[in-house]
Amino acid sequence: MSFLRGVRVGIDVGTVRIGVARCDPDGILATPVCTVPRATKVEPDQVPSDMSEISGLVKELEAVEVIVGIPVSLSGSEQRAAALTREYADRLATVLEPVPVRFVDERMSTVVATRRLRERGVRGKKQRAVVDQAAAVEILQGWLDAQRRRT
């Protein structure tokens, strides 16, 4: 399988915020984009504001795929958080059609992102503001690296 050239968007789905990252068209480096507040009140027949914002970013970046991190437990099993993330991503996929949404194990992405931010001296409120973006970068970069190893 050859690697399709194009921008990918990485998503770290949280209950309060959603971290968004992107990569270059050659799929080499993931970088942070933004943090989107999670919609709290959602009418069943309307697109939630967070999904609408993500959809706008995907279109603006002309992304060819969206990579969503699934929080798998250390034992490799999927718990309630993973089911909620899949549910969110499935609904997001209908909003993003025809752009495909792919899942990747995001085990420890927030922990790694937090550690890297701390190593760079980012702490407290500043860290909370960007940790979701940094986790999205970890998710997307891990996926990109795995794709390169396969080709």
Side-chain angles (χ1 to χ4, degrees):
M1 175 183 115
S2 64
F3 187 77
L4 173 68
R5 190 173 190 281
V7 171
R8 267 82 178 172
V9 169
I11 305 281
D12 176 49
V13 179
T15 55
V16 177
R17 294 174 301 275
I18 300 163
V20 182
R22 64 162 294 175
C23 71
D24 59 285
D26 292 319
I28 296 170
L29 184 64
T31 56
V33 174
C34 66
T35 301
V36 177
R38 183 84 183 255
T40 52
K41 294 182 181 172
V42 180
E43 298 298 323
D45 58 334
Q46 293 188 337
V47 175
S49 60
D50 51 357
M51 291 185 187
S52 182
E53 189 170 341
I54 291 168
S55 177
L57 288 167
V58 167
K59 286 179 182 134
E60 178 184 324
L61 296 169
E62 298 178 354
V64 298
E65 286 181 295
V66 173
I67 312 303
V68 176
I70 297 295
V72 178
S73 72
L74 291 177
S75 69
S77 64
E78 290 189 12
Q79 306 296 322
R80 176 111 175 101
L84 292 172
T85 299
R86 283 189 186 277
E87 186 179 299
Y88 179 89
D90 288 343
R91 186 165 183 194
L92 180 62
T94 63
V95 174
L96 297 178
E97 283 180 353
V99 177
V101 173
R102 311 243 185 262
F103 297 107
V104 66
D105 177 350
E106 70 140 318
R107 203 175 326 193
M108 304 295 288
S109 64
T110 302
V111 172
V112 170
T114 302
R115 187 180 70 229
R116 289 190 183 177
L117 288 170
R118 199 173 300 129
E119 287 168 358
R120 293 182 193 131
V122 180
R123 288 188 161 72
K125 286 184 182 179
K126 286 183 182 179
Q127 184 180 20
R128 281 193 301 280
V130 296
V131 71
D132 303 292
Q133 292 174 42
V137 167
E138 293 295 329
I139 290 164
L140 183 55
Q141 191 66 56
W143 184 86
L144 292 168
D145 293 346
Q147 297 309 302
R148 268 197 303 285
R149 286 191 297 272
R150 288 185 187 153
T151 57

